């Protein structure tokens, strides 16, 4: 009777509130149960994790309503619960509940591969309604008989990495701060090696528009290019987060990189006057009328070039990018993840936008210098092609190509400078270009002389592995010696991987710590079936990724590093690894 009176009282109260000034009060949105509580699970060996993420701050789940039912040959232990909150509601009184998110850990004592677990849960929208009990079914992986003892979860003791912090920030109620933060981090990423090739691409587009380029059109072309780049970067990030790392790696395969290099060489030929890149005249005239007498197809072509250029930056895995990918992979929220990736992309595109817009003012409008600058942009596009190939064929051949590129560019500029009026500027240019020519020649000679020299950055105590079986064998061997393990997932197309090798790993403060560990490296450049199996086994979202294993053989997932880290921060990070 008391329960009925309570329900009636709540109903009358809600009716009264809705009848008076209801437009001043925003009630929480009532969602279907599968949207109110996003369910996920993961099994690793004899440990099953069941996770729920609530859709808002007013949704919660009851600790005492979780139940497990087994179908098939399987035995499980007691559920391991995190610390709940005590909450009073009008339905069940004082109850231990979970807000925001919760992860339960279930020991699997034994399981056949066709066994299933059905988990039942129940929750409420505070002060509005309670959902009926809901069930989810999980298919278990095969587990041999064991004692069911699980290691203490180290996530409570380890520090939060930058990418994990960004993923948590995206999961917060406020969206303005995360998006502004990612926009600002994108501006910083605009000055990294992966974004650098976009500058000559954009300047060549602006420079190839002719003599009558207004500031307004320069801005419009630059914005079109940046939007194309942002779209590719955003969609690619969502694909990687949703479908796995192998798609990102596939885009950096030799066929794709060589194809892009050839494309940029072909485009550079138009800068040298070999051909004129334009649409057929009939279609060009139609576009002229549709685009207010703009040059036919220019905006469409610039947008397509922006789409292609987004692939140039795709191998750059940084903490901000990985934080967004982690959030998308864990939550499945493609809308917020896409908005975050777009904010990051637009931050990366802001300097490009400023450069392209100013190009309308800074580029000469007429005369021989305009033709010279157009040819220089052709050289810059060839440089982009060499950067593509550098991910595949780093070594003597690429060094000689770079030297030849420098010699040709310096020689061309010296000839162009020779035709200018004699003054102190001409003398200064001659000196600078002469030094550049000598430097290019010296670079090529040094590459030939040092072709057999050993790169000290690669002279590290890495044990090279290929498969999951190799990893398990080396980790077991290290455990027998009581040593922790670091696994470096490396690829030739990964710029930040090479930064780790040249700038971080060789430093004394880092070597002092890695000398006490077993250092493994897996080269996944080929992206073959064994590489994909290794990457997917650890849900790797991008490279570089460094995995750490304790002296007991457990992966310290909370200490995983994704993206470049300088020597001192990395040394501090290793201290945390060695403590566990």
């Amino acid at each position: 009777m008391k329960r009925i009176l309570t329900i009636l009282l709540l109903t009358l109260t809600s009716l009264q509130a809705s009848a008076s000034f209801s437009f001043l009060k925003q009630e929480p949105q009532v969602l279907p149960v599968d949207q109110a509580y996003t369910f996920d699970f993961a099994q690793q060996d004899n440990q099953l994790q069941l996770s729920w993420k609530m859709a808002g701050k007013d949704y919660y789940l009851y600790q005492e309503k979780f139940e497990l039912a087994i179908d098939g040959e399987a035995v499980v232990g007691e559920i391991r619960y995190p610390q709940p909150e005590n909450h009073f509601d009008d339905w069940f009184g004082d109850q231990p509940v979970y807000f925001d998110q919760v992860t339960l850990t279930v020991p699997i004592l034994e399981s056949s591969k066709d066994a299933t677990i059905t988990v039942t849960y129940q929750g409420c929208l505070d002060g509005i309604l309670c959902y009926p009990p809901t069930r989810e079914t999980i298919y278990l992986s095969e587990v041999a008989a064991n004692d069911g003892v699980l290691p203490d979860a180290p996530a409570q003791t380890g520090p939060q990495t930058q990418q994990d912090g960004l993923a948590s920030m995206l999961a917060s109620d406020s969206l303005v701060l995360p998006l502004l933060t990612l926009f600002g981090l994108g501006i910083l990423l605009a000055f990294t090696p992966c974004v650098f090739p976009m500058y000559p691409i954009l300047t060549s587009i602006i420079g190839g528009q002719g003599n009558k380029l207004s500031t307004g059109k320069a801005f419009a072309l630059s914005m079109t290019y940046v939007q194309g780049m942002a779209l590719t970067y955003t969609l690619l990030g969502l694909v990687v987060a949703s479908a796995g790392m192998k798609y990102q790696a596939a885009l950096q395969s030799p066929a794709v990189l060589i194809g892009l290099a050839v494309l940029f060489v072909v485009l550079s030929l138009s800068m040298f006057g070999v051909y004129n890149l334009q649409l057929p005249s009939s279609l060009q005239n139609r576009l002229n009328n549709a685009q207010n007498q703009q040059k036919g197809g220019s905006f469409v072509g610039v947008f397509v070039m922006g789409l292609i250029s987004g692939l140039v930056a795709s191998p750059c895995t940084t903490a901000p990018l990985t934080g967004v990918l982690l959030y998308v992979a864990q939550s499945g929220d493609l809308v917020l993840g896409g908005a975050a990736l777009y904010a990051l992309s637009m931050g990366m595109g802001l300097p490009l936008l400023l450069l392209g817009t100013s190009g309308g003012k800074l580029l000469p409008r007429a005369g021989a210098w305009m033709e010279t600058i157009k040819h220089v942009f052709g050289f810059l596009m060839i440089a982009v092609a060499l950067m593509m190939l550098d991910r595949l064929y780093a070594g003597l051949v690429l060094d000689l190509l770079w030297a030849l590129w420098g010699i040709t560019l310096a020689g061309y500029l010296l000839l162009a400078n020779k035709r200018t009026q004699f003054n102190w500027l001409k003398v200064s240019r001659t000196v600078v270009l002469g030094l550049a020519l000598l430097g290019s020649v010296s670079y090529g000679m040094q590459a030939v002389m040092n072709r057999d020299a050993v790169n000290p950055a690669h002279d590290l105590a890495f044990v090279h592995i290929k498969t999951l079986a190799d990893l398990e064998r080396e980790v077991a061997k290290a455990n027998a010696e009581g040593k922790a393990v670091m696994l470096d997932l490396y690829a030739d197309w990964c710029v930040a991987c090479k930064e780790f090798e040249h700038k971080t790993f060789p430093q004394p403060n880092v070597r002092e710590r890695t000398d006490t560990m077993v250092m493994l490296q897996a080269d996944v450049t080929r992206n073959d079936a064994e590489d994909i199996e290794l990457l997917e086994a650890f849900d790797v979202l991008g490279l570089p990724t460094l995995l750490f294993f304790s002296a007991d053989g457990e992966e310290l997932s909370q200490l995983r590093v994704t993206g470049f880290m300088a020597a001192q921060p990395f040394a501090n990070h290793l201290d945390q690894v060695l403590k566990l």
Side-chain angles (χ1 to χ4, degrees):
M1 188 66 181
K2 180 181 177 181
R3 175 59 57 79
I4 295 174
L5 290 174
T6 300
I7 294 174
L8 288 173
L9 181 60
L10 286 171
T11 304
L12 290 173
T13 302
S14 63
L15 287 173
Q16 182 181 8
S18 62
S20 59
F21 306 108
S22 60
F23 62 91
L24 296 177
K25 183 178 180 182
Q26 184 178 4
E27 296 290 348
Q29 183 182 8
V30 178
L31 299 172
V33 65
D34 58 338
Q35 296 180 26
Y37 309 102
T38 303
F39 174 73
D40 197 7
F41 72 94
Q43 181 181 350
Q44 185 173 6
D45 299 329
N46 68 329
Q47 177 174 303
L48 174 65
Q49 289 190 331
L50 309 174
S51 302
W52 290 264
K53 179 173 177 57
M54 291 50 149
K57 63 181 180 179
D58 295 316
Y59 291 89
Y60 56 86
L61 289 173
Y62 295 106
Q63 184 189 56
E64 296 179 356
K65 299 297 180 180
F66 289 111
E67 296 179 1
L68 298 179
I70 300 172
D71 184 13
E73 299 179 5
V75 181
V76 302
E78 293 293 327
I79 300 175
R80 177 185 291 179
Y81 295 98
Q83 185 65 34
E85 298 182 35
N86 191 50
H87 177 70
F88 177 84
D89 63 30
D90 298 308
W91 310 100
F92 299 107
D94 286 314
Q95 291 287 321
V97 302
Y98 298 104
F99 288 92
D100 188 33
Q101 60 184 3
V102 60
T103 299
L104 311 182
T105 303
V106 182
I108 308 297
L109 304 178
E110 186 176 358
S111 173
S112 61
K113 64 180 180 180
D114 57 350
T116 64
I117 285 183
T118 298
V119 55
T120 302
Y121 61 95
Q122 185 176 10
C124 294
L125 175 55
D126 195 13
I128 305 297
L129 59 82
C130 277
Y131 293 93
T134 306
R135 295 174 178 84
E136 299 283 355
T137 299
I138 300 107
Y139 288 86
L140 297 176
S141 300
E142 187 173 4
V143 176
N146 64 84
D147 57 12
V149 176
L150 300 179
D152 291 334
Q156 302 301 321
T157 59
Q160 187 181 52
T161 60
Q162 185 182 359
Q163 54 266 23
D164 290 330
L166 287 167
S168 300
M169 182 175 64
L170 280 174
S172 64
D173 292 332
S174 174
L175 296 181
V176 176
L177 179 60
L179 295 181
L180 287 177
T181 300
L182 287 164
F183 180 80
L185 292 172
I187 295 175
L188 297 178
L189 293 180
F191 301 99
T192 59
C194 278
V195 184
F196 170 74
M198 296 185 187
Y199 291 98
I201 296 173
L202 179 59
T203 52
S204 65
I205 292 171
I206 299 298
Q209 292 301 308
N211 299 332
K212 297 180 180 180
L213 179 64
S214 66
T215 301
K217 186 177 179 183
F219 172 80
L221 288 170
S222 302
M223 178 60 77
T224 302
Y225 175 83
V226 170
Q227 291 302 311
M229 180 271 294
L231 180 61
T232 296
Y233 204 66
T234 299
L235 294 179
L236 181 61
L238 292 177
V239 169
V240 171
S242 303
M245 163 65 187
K246 60 183 179 182
Y247 290 94
Q248 183 197 27
L251 289 171
Q252 304 305 316
S253 64
V256 173
L257 291 175
I258 292 174
L260 288 173
V262 171
L263 174 63
F264 287 125
V265 170
V266 171
L267 291 173
S268 73
L269 296 179
S270 68
M271 297 289 102
F272 295 117
V274 176
Y275 67 93
N276 291 323
L277 185 62
Q278 61 182 13
L279 293 174
S281 57
S282 58
L283 181 57
Q284 188 175 0
N285 291 332
R286 294 179 185 177
L287 289 174
N288 281 343
N289 297 329
Q291 296 181 9
N292 246 348
Q293 296 183 345
Q294 298 287 350
K295 287 198 172 181
S298 59
F299 286 100
V300 176
V302 169
F303 183 76
V304 172
M305 184 58 68
L307 291 174
I308 297 172
S309 298
L311 301 177
V312 175
S314 63
C316 263
T317 300
T318 60
L321 175 59
T322 306
V324 179
L325 299 184
L326 282 173
Y327 173 80
V328 176
Q330 293 169 359
S331 69
D333 191 340
L334 297 180
V335 175
L336 179 56
L341 285 165
Y342 182 77
L344 184 71
S345 303
M346 288 305 297
M348 295 166 57
L350 181 60
L352 290 166
L353 185 61
L354 295 175
L355 173 68
T357 303
S358 66
K361 293 181 179 179
L362 299 179
L363 294 177
R365 299 305 179 96
W369 271 106
M370 191 65 210
E371 193 69 16
T372 301
I373 289 178
K374 185 178 178 181
H375 293 163
V376 169
F377 290 150
F379 280 105
L380 292 178
M381 299 195 82
I382 292 176
V384 175
L386 292 178
M387 289 178 184
M388 298 291 101
L389 297 177
D390 199 22
R391 298 174 186 172
L392 297 175
Y393 307 111
L396 177 61
V397 174
L398 257 295
D399 287 339
L400 291 177
L401 287 176
W402 276 114
L404 179 62
W405 177 86
I407 292 170
T408 306
L409 175 59
Y412 169 77
L413 292 177
L414 280 171
L415 290 175
N417 186 53
K418 187 177 181 181
R419 294 192 294 266
T420 61
Q421 184 178 1
F422 182 82
N423 53 33
W424 67 272
L425 285 175
K426 179 176 182 178
V427 174
S428 300
R429 289 194 296 264
T430 302
V431 172
V432 171
L433 293 172
L435 292 175
L437 180 62
L438 291 175
S440 300
V441 173
S442 175
Y443 181 84
M445 293 178 63
Q446 187 177 13
V448 173
M449 294 170 58
N450 296 336
R451 63 185 182 277
D452 297 324
V454 177
N455 189 336
H458 293 275
D459 190 22
L460 300 173
F462 278 120
V463 176
H464 295 276
I465 64 167
K466 179 65 176 177
T467 65
L468 273 173
D470 294 340
L471 174 62
E472 293 169 357
R473 182 187 67 250
E474 295 299 331
V475 169
K477 187 186 300 184
N479 295 161
E481 301 174 1
K483 292 184 177 181
V485 176
M486 183 189 86
L487 171 61
D488 173 30
L489 295 170
Y490 168 91
D492 288 339
W493 48 260
C494 169
V495 176
C497 295
K498 297 178 181 180
E499 290 182 331
F500 256 121
E501 286 204 344
H502 290 272
K503 299 179 181 179
T504 300
F505 292 154
Q507 298 305 314
N509 56 342
V510 174
R511 293 294 292 268
E512 180 183 351
R513 292 158 175 82
T514 56
D515 285 346
T516 65
M517 307 170 64
V518 173
M519 296 179 65
L520 308 179
Q521 187 178 72
D523 188 340
V524 297
T525 302
R526 293 176 58 189
N527 192 38
D528 55 24
E530 291 175 328
D531 295 340
I532 293 173
E533 181 185 18
L534 181 62
L535 294 172
E536 292 187 343
F538 294 97
D539 296 322
V540 175
L541 296 174
L543 299 184
T545 293
L546 305 179
L547 308 181
F548 298 95
F549 300 82
S550 68
D552 297 328
E554 296 295 328
E555 188 209 346
L556 304 174
S557 57
Q558 81 283 5
L559 292 176
R560 179 182 296 194
V561 171
T562 305
F564 176 71
M565 188 178 286
Q568 189 55 53
F570 186 66
N572 296 337
H573 193 82
L574 291 178
D575 288 336
Q576 297 294 330
V577 173
L578 295 172
K579 287 179 182 178
L580 300 178

